[in-house]
């Protein structure tokens, strides 16, 4: 009995998916950081934040895990420039994740053998969830952080992680095309 040849394509592709999982984890972390810092309304356009100053120190300060929120005398959060930086980074990383996975999924969908073996369904799920995430994210800006949209955005982030994990598992377990 001979072992089947391990083709490099599925292994290489699974590594791209693995790094994509890391991208999604980072994006989810940034989304949580955005919520924890009440930064969701600080940047109401996709790539333009009116209150954001371009300062490297501000970027480091925006992701300082020790610093706490500044409150006024009525215990309301004081809006700071760093909040716009946090939200801007979340937007930027969302676009990066969308482009990253769109390229991978497009490549996988073009490969006939992978499409025939159940990977096609996972690819379409990942792509659909990514697009839905992007739409929900933009909708939270348009509708001023509607709690329903924010919860749906978080729910579909979890489903996206599951779909990407499924795709990764199927590709990494492949021994032949």
């Amino acid at each position: 009995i001979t072992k089947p040849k391990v083709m490099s394509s599925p292994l290489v592709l699974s590594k791209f998916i693995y790094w994509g999982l890391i991208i999604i984890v980072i994006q989810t972390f940034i989304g949580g950081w955005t919520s924890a810092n009440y930064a969701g309304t600080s940047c109401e356009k996709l790539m333009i934040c009116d209150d954001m100053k371009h300062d490297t120190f501000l970027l480091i300060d925006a992701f300082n895990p020790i610093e706490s929120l500044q409150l006024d005398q009525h215990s309301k959060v004081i809006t700071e420039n760093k909040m716009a930086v946090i939200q801007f980074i979340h937007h930027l990383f969302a676009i990066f994740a969308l482009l990253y996975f769109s390229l991978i999924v497009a490549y996988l969908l073009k490969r006939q053998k992978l499409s025939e073996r159940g990977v096609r369904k996972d690819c379409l799920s990942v792509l659909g969830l990514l697009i839905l995430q992007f739409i929900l994210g933009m909708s939270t800006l348009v509708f001023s952080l509607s709690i329903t949209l924010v919860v749906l955005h978080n729910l579909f982030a979890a489903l996206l992680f599951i779909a990407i994990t499924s795709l990764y598992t199927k590709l990494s377990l492949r021994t032949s095309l």
Side-chain angles (χ1 to χ4, degrees):
I1 300 174
T2 60
K3 289 185 178 181
K5 286 185 178 180
V6 177
M7 308 267 316
S8 62
S9 291
L11 295 175
V12 170
L13 289 171
S14 69
K15 288 182 183 185
F16 279 107
I17 301 295
Y18 174 81
W19 284 107
L21 279 169
I22 292 173
I23 290 168
I24 294 301
V25 167
I26 292 169
Q27 175 63 358
T28 304
F29 170 81
I30 297 169
W33 196 264
T34 300
S35 296
N37 284 279
Y38 298 94
T41 58
S42 63
C43 186
E44 297 179 353
K45 298 173 186 162
L46 179 59
M47 295 306 291
I48 302 169
C49 299
D50 297 330
D51 295 336
M52 192 173 82
K53 293 179 183 176
H54 300 287
D55 184 0
T56 305
F57 180 73
L58 191 59
L59 178 64
I60 294 167
D61 190 40
F63 291 96
N64 181 353
I66 301 170
E67 191 169 334
S68 59
L69 295 171
Q70 300 296 318
L71 304 176
D72 66 11
Q73 66 270 21
H74 304 291
S75 297
K76 291 186 178 181
V77 176
I78 298 172
T79 305
E80 300 179 48
N81 288 331
K82 69 180 181 179
M83 292 177 171
V85 171
I86 295 168
Q87 182 69 331
F88 177 76
I89 296 296
H90 187 57
H91 293 177
L92 192 63
F93 224 74
I95 291 169
F96 174 70
L98 182 65
L99 292 174
Y100 184 88
F101 277 105
S102 294
L103 290 172
I104 292 172
V105 166
Y107 178 78
L108 286 171
L109 289 173
K110 285 184 180 181
R111 294 189 57 106
Q112 188 64 27
K113 290 181 181 180
L114 287 174
S115 296
E116 291 173 355
R117 296 198 176 176
V119 174
R120 180 179 178 78
K121 181 181 174 186
D122 282 346
C123 285
L124 293 174
S125 295
V126 167
L127 189 58
L129 287 166
L130 273 170
I131 292 168
L132 186 58
Q133 272 297 84
F134 193 78
I135 291 169
L136 285 169
M138 293 300 97
S139 296
T140 61
L141 297 176
V142 171
F143 297 108
S144 300
L145 292 178
S146 159
I147 191 68
T148 304
L149 291 173
V150 172
V151 169
L152 285 173
H153 190 56
N154 291 335
L155 171 67
F156 284 107
L159 293 175
L160 178 61
F161 185 79
I162 291 168
I164 294 169
T165 302
S166 175
L167 181 60
Y168 171 73
T169 302
K170 283 183 182 175
L171 286 174
S172 62
L173 292 177
R174 298 269 178 233
T175 57
S176 67
L177 292 175

